[in-house]
Amino acid sequence: MRRATALIGGAGLVAALLAGTPGSSGASPAPAGSVSSAAAASAPAAGRPAVVGRRVLGTSVRGRKIVAWRLGEPAGPRVRTVVLISTMHGNEPATRRILESLRDGAPVEGINLWVIPTYNPDGLARGTRKNAHGVDLNRNFPYKWADLDGNYESGPKPRSEPETRAVMRFLRTVRPDRVLSFHQPLYAVDTDTKKPAFARRVARKLHLPRRSLTCGGVCHGTMTGWFNHRFDGAALTVEYGAHPSRRTMSRVAPRQVLSIFGARRRVPVAIDPAPTSG
């Protein structure tokens, strides 16, 4: 009898785990070319109470994983889906602390949030703007792609880079309502967007000036340009300065970013200890 009870309990545990795993509710399988079910498995991360899922989007030229972390309340009523992206350029590393702080902090409420702290892991490891092929990933997207050289080397063709293809697949799958792409060092929120009111709100909440970030001309092959052209949602570039303080990136900015979307971190509830008999 004891053995049967253990078996039943074990089966119940397995069923509970399966029920809590995204993709186990009868949803259609991932399309060809997307991450595998094992890589895309969503499960809370040990020691990270804010994390409700983790997805490996693909790998860089040098084989480093590009990881998206899911936070918030994916099944919450009327919550917006938001994607935050940092370190598209490896020599702009400071803003990834915003995303890492959100990932490693208290649980988040009022939003379905994905964070990609390091989009260009090879560039980050080398301290370079470009990936290991020498391509500027923010000039490699297909919308208005052009054959650029020098600091803005756009690659041999649109979406030639594995990092670009990984993020394109991810955004096609998730189809977020809003995307914020964090950069340095221009210290502004881009006003050249299809949702000007959203840009104004982001600038106000982050205490950053508004400016049209034109790339010195036409911004060819950018991630935000591609997303805004292809999807109903809105993508926006946010530029911090060259040397933002660690406190701003790790403590102030994460709270400000959540406030843009009406989200917040869960406040722990103190429980009074049970009274002892006297």
Side-chain angles (χ1 to χ4, degrees), residues 165-209:
R165 295 192 297 271
V167 169
M168 287 177 68
R169 285 195 303 266
F170 174 69
L171 292 174
R172 285 195 194 106
T173 300
V174 173
R175 293 184 175 269
D177 300 297
R178 297 289 184 267
V179 179
L180 291 182
S181 180
F182 292 96
H183 291 265
Q184 296 171 259
L186 300 181
Y187 195 68
V189 171
D190 191 11
T191 57
D192 185 17
T193 178
K194 66 179 181 182
K195 299 284 185 183
F198 176 54
R200 290 193 296 270
R201 178 177 176 84
V202 170
R204 184 173 70 252
K205 291 290 188 178
L206 299 184
H207 299 167
L208 291 172

Side-chain angles (χ1 to χ4, degrees), residues 26 49 70 75 88 157 161 173 182-183 194 228-229 278:
R70 195 175 199 176
M88 185 181 294
K157 61 182 180 180
E161 304 311 298
T173 300
F182 292 96
H183 291 265
K194 66 179 181 182
N228 285 331
H229 174 72

Side-chain angles (χ1 to χ4, degrees), residues 25-42:
S25 60
S28 58
S34 63
V35 293
S36 67
S37 58
S42 293

Side-chain angles (χ1 to χ4, degrees), residues 134-261:
V135 173
D136 182 343
L137 297 176
N138 207 27
R139 299 296 183 273
N140 192 236
F141 282 78
Y143 181 66
K144 291 188 177 180
W145 182 88
D147 187 4
L148 304 175
D149 298 316
N151 198 43
Y152 301 115
E153 168 61 51
S154 56
K157 61 182 180 180
R159 53 180 171 265
S160 61
E161 304 311 298
E163 299 92 342
T164 305
R165 295 192 297 271
V167 169
M168 287 177 68
R169 285 195 303 266
F170 174 69
L171 292 174
R172 285 195 194 106
T173 300
V174 173
R175 293 184 175 269
D177 300 297
R178 297 289 184 267
V179 179
L180 291 182
S181 180
F182 292 96
H183 291 265
Q184 296 171 259
L186 300 181
Y187 195 68
V189 171
D190 191 11
T191 57
D192 185 17
T193 178
K194 66 179 181 182
K195 299 284 185 183
F198 176 54
R200 290 193 296 270
R201 178 177 176 84
V202 170
R204 184 173 70 252
K205 291 290 188 178
L206 299 184
H207 299 167
L208 291 172
R210 288 181 286 129
R211 183 151 50 95
S212 179
L213 304 176
T214 62
C215 312
V218 177
C219 290
H220 293 283
T222 65
M223 188 275 293
T224 55
W226 170 78
F227 184 89
N228 285 331
H229 174 72
R230 185 177 179 91
F231 300 99
D232 292 335
L236 184 65
T237 297
V238 175
E239 292 258 1
Y240 278 90
H243 304 290
S245 72
R246 181 176 290 270
R247 179 180 180 276
T248 296
M249 295 292 95
S250 299
R251 297 179 60 186
V252 178
R255 182 176 63 251
Q256 293 172 332
V257 168
L258 290 180
S259 74
I260 294 168
F261 307 102

Side-chain angles (χ1 to χ4, degrees), residues 2 31 37 44 83 88 92-93 102 111 129 131 148 162 185 208 242 260:
R2 188 175 304 158
S37 58
V83 173
M88 185 181 294
E92 301 171 8
L102 290 169
I111 193 173
R129 176 182 178 90
N131 74 347
L148 304 175
L208 291 172
I260 294 168

Side-chain angles (χ1 to χ4, degrees), residues 267-273:
V267 179
V269 178
I271 302 176
D272 293 332

